[in-house]
Amino acid sequence: MAQQIPMVDYLVLDGDPHLVAHECANCGALFFDRRNACAHCSGIKFVPRDLKTTGVVRSFSIIYQAAPGVPVPYVSSLVDIDGGGAVKANILNIDPDPATVALGMKVKMTTFVSGTDDEGTEAVAFAFEPSN
Amino acid sequence: MAENIWVLGAAMTKITRYPDQDVIDLAATASIEALADAGVTMADMQVMGMGNMFQAMAGLGQSVQQQIGQTGIPVYNVVNACATGATAVRTVHLSILAGEADMGIAVGCEQMGKMGLLGPGGQSKAEKHVYAPTGRYGSVMGAEGILGTTLMPGVFAQAGQEYAYENGGVGFEQFAKVAEKNHAHSVLNPLAQYQKKFSLEEIMNARMVAYPNTLPMCCPTGDGAAAVVLVSESKLKTLSLEQQRRAVKISASVLTSDPWVERGQVQPDVNTLTRNAAKIAYEKAGIGPKDLDLVELHDCFATAELLHYDNLGLCEPGGAGAFIDSGAPWRDSPGVTVNASGGLLSKGHPIGMTGVAGVFEITTQLRGEAGDRQIEGATVGMAHVIGLGSSCGIHILEKSAA
């Protein structure tokens, strides 16, 4: 099996793949990026927090005109993660049609290979798919 | 209490594509026309605010002065995404408010040509490509299209869909009705980039860009410039009666940034900063939404306009869908008219120009000089813009006696 690397550092691939956020130790605000301080309370101490892998589609768009090289149509979404946190990701394994994709639908996280570099290392990204 | 500040002159170029001019030509044209409209010259200006996004590194305000009057006055070259023009107006407003100037000019200009979709571009091609985590997300590759979208049509589609999720009565058709209205309004505005009416059916059946936004529900890229001359009330009283008669009072000039919200890191929040700016603006002006005769609001996409009906208090909370369904924001309906100019959807949206163009439109309407698109009897208007990042500018203008 090819060597794999997460496409972003907030995706954990070991064991059951999941997202990990920086949680502000003071106010509990969650962030995915490298932080200088908390945008909510200006606190400077953070602890890692594992997020759940299920959630609800809070918003979506079906993209028909995209950046060069991006296959269309695809479904971009904003997912409210069960138990806290929100993330932007594609919805896979669904017909990209407004009659099929629904606001409020339940989804679960999945992973897929998003690219391979010149040394054969695979980048692994995350997405969501319908729960049932 | 600080003294009032007034718009003394205003001008804008038609928005279109100007392949034979540069952005300095456009800004100079708008500036010269605004000064002439105000009945003053560059020699009377004590400050300049210059708004431009894509050529902002060039010292554009100075370049324009080098063409139209190099008097040595300070220039504030400003950038704030789509709120850039409003920021230029705000900068001149602040200078006069601080007592450092009694007259100044704010300019907004942009030359975009056919830029296409705005947002982070594709991935660069390295000689040998080996994945290595970089940046604040430790990314090994560009995320556009893989982890959702950050391009504008999708971002604003999702902003609209989020409103639909939280409130009933909003769907594809309500969003499309926004575009139907604004394109219909644009037919009356000779300064608009596009003056073409579309039926609701044509809009809904047009090529889909990012559901629920079809092509006529997305603003075009284009070129243009606008300028306004601002004056302190005490200075205005020394000018001619004709200048005083045509001057329009700035009852509020407000700029806000987006406060932290839970999902703001993954889906830009265009609502809270607009609500905050509106609250401050209404308080400063001593008016409420019901007092507004017209609003120019930031309809970069049809989905965006719908949100701002609610954010600006033009409709009942959660009632933006019912508001557009009722026809209330159309020009021939009683109450407030929204985007009488045709809005960004058809008037056009040269980024740095837009915030100044909104103030031009309200000024022109309140003076009763808007020609075929005049809203009869308009006395109070608002110009609203929002730039992702995010920044919101609101100006409330009133027809009043100096």
Side-chain angles (χ1 to χ4, degrees), chain A residues 5-10 29-36 39-40 56-67 70 74 76-78 80 85-90 98 103-104 112 114-119 121-123 125-126, chain B residues 117 120-122 126-133 135-151 153-155 157-162 164-166 207-212 215 260 262-263 265-268:
Chain A
I5 185 172
M7 190 184 135
V8 286
D9 64 10
Y10 57 93
L30 299 174
F31 303 92
F32 291 121
D33 63 342
R34 186 180 78 235
R35 297 305 304 178
N36 299 96
H40 183 216
V56 170
V57 174
R58 179 177 171 80
S59 183
F60 72 89
S61 176
I62 304 171
I63 311 298
Y64 290 81
Q65 187 176 340
V70 176
Y74 72 91
S76 170
S77 74
L78 170 63
D80 273 349
V87 71
K88 178 148 51 180
N90 290 0
L103 293 168
F112 64 101
S114 57
T116 307
D117 72 11
D118 292 342
E119 292 182 347
T121 301
E122 292 176 343
F126 65 92
Chain B
L117 301 173
E127 287 293 311
K128 184 181 181 188
H129 196 59
V130 178
Y131 288 144
R136 286 189 171 257
Y137 294 94
S139 313
V140 302
M141 60 193 294
E144 179 59 32
I146 297 172
L147 301 178
T149 185
T150 53
L151 296 178
V155 167
Q158 289 187 181
Q161 290 277 80
E162 197 175 14
Y165 178 61
E166 289 183 325
R207 180 162 66 80
M208 189 62 74
V209 175
Y211 178 87
L215 190 61
W260 179 87
E262 196 183 342
R263 301 173 188 88
Q265 189 173 37
V266 289
Q267 170 65 37

Side-chain angles (χ1 to χ4, degrees), chain A residues 4-64:
Chain A
Q4 294 190 324
I5 185 172
M7 190 184 135
V8 286
D9 64 10
Y10 57 93
L11 171 63
V12 177
L13 295 178
D14 309 334
D16 291 331
H18 63 280
L19 303 180
V20 62
H22 305 293
E23 183 179 55
C24 175
N26 180 50
C27 76
L30 299 174
F31 303 92
F32 291 121
D33 63 342
R34 186 180 78 235
R35 297 305 304 178
N36 299 96
C38 176
H40 183 216
C41 74
S42 302
I44 54 169
K45 198 174 163 207
F46 293 89
V47 293
R49 177 164 153 207
D50 291 337
L51 303 186
K52 292 196 187 313
T53 56
T54 57
V56 170
V57 174
R58 179 177 171 80
S59 183
F60 72 89
S61 176
I62 304 171
I63 311 298
Y64 290 81

Side-chain angles (χ1 to χ4, degrees), chain B residues 12 90 112 122 188-189 192 201-202 225 233 256 269-270 337 388:
Chain B
M12 70 175 265
R90 178 72 182 132
M112 302 172 77
L188 300 172
N189 186 0
E201 193 179 24
E202 285 174 316
E233 185 159 304
T256 57
D269 170 26
V270 299
T337 300
L388 273 199

Side-chain angles (χ1 to χ4, degrees), chain B residues 80-401:
Chain B
N80 241 341
C82 301
T84 293
T87 306
V89 176
R90 178 72 182 132
T91 304
V92 173
H93 186 269
L94 280 173
S95 289
I96 298 175
L97 207 59
E100 292 204 356
D102 57 25
M103 222 186 281
I105 183 166
V107 188
C109 58
E110 206 74 66
Q111 191 158 37
M112 302 172 77
K114 294 190 173 185
M115 272 181 115
L117 301 173
L118 302 187
Q123 298 144 37
S124 59
K125 290 183 182 118
E127 287 293 311
K128 184 181 181 188
H129 196 59
V130 178
Y131 288 144
T134 55
R136 286 189 171 257
Y137 294 94
S139 313
V140 302
M141 60 193 294
E144 179 59 32
I146 297 172
L147 301 178
T149 185
T150 53
L151 296 178
M152 294 301 113
V155 167
F156 280 95
Q158 289 187 181
Q161 290 277 80
E162 197 175 14
Y163 187 86
Y165 178 61
E166 289 183 325
N167 304 280
V170 176
F172 183 24
E173 187 174 331
Q174 281 65 45
F175 294 126
K177 282 178 178 173
V178 168
E180 180 192 17
K181 168 182 69 70
N182 291 354
H183 287 298
H185 286 175
S186 76
V187 172
L188 300 172
N189 186 0
L191 298 170
Q193 186 168 1
Y194 295 103
Q195 291 179 266
K196 189 181 171 191
K197 196 172 172 174
F198 295 87
S199 69
L200 184 62
E201 193 179 24
E202 285 174 316
I203 290 165
M204 294 181 75
N205 289 328
R207 180 162 66 80
M208 189 62 74
V209 175
Y211 178 87
N213 285 321
T214 64
L215 190 61
M217 297 164 72
C218 303
C219 71
T221 58
D223 311 337
V228 292
V229 174
L230 306 191
V231 64
S232 67
E233 185 159 304
S234 51
K235 178 69 177 177
L236 178 62
K237 284 179 173 165
T238 70
L239 301 178
S240 74
L241 290 176
E242 179 64 3
Q243 284 166 309
Q244 292 183 37
R245 185 187 66 76
R246 291 180 72 244
V248 170
K249 189 171 88 174
I250 301 176
S251 300
S253 173
V254 179
L255 192 67
T256 57
S257 298
D258 53 327
W260 179 87
V261 294
E262 196 183 342
R263 301 173 188 88
Q265 189 173 37
V266 289
Q267 170 65 37
D269 170 26
V270 299
N271 303 312
T272 314
L273 77 170
T274 296
R275 287 168 182 262
N276 289 350
K279 183 169 184 289
I280 297 167
Y282 288 134
E283 279 172 13
K284 278 195 176 168
I287 65 159
K290 295 263 183 282
D291 299 310
L292 293 168
D293 296 307
L294 72 162
V295 174
E296 288 288 308
L297 63 73
H298 204 77
D299 60 325
C300 48
F301 296 88
T303 45
E305 173 161 327
L306 204 90
L307 305 175
H308 298 313
Y309 295 153
D310 205 333
N311 292 331
L312 299 174
L314 306 180
C315 65
E316 295 298 316
F323 187 68
I324 187 69
D325 279 339
S326 75
W330 282 74
R331 57 170 292 121
D332 294 323
S333 174
V336 68
T337 300
V338 179
N339 286 328
S341 69
L344 279 49
L345 289 179
S346 30
K347 182 179 72 175
H349 182 25
I351 305 282
M353 169 191 188
T354 296
V356 186
V359 174
F360 163 85
E361 179 66 20
I362 301 296
T363 299
T364 304
Q365 289 278 359
L366 299 186
R367 284 168 159 182
E369 298 175 357
D372 290 344
R373 70 182 187 284
Q374 181 66 44
I375 303 299
E376 289 306 324
T379 57
V380 186
M382 172 193 281
H384 158 267
V385 286
I386 184 162
L388 273 199
S390 295
S391 177
C392 176
I394 288 183
H395 288 88
I396 293 177
L397 306 185
E398 280 185 82
K399 186 176 184 173
S400 182

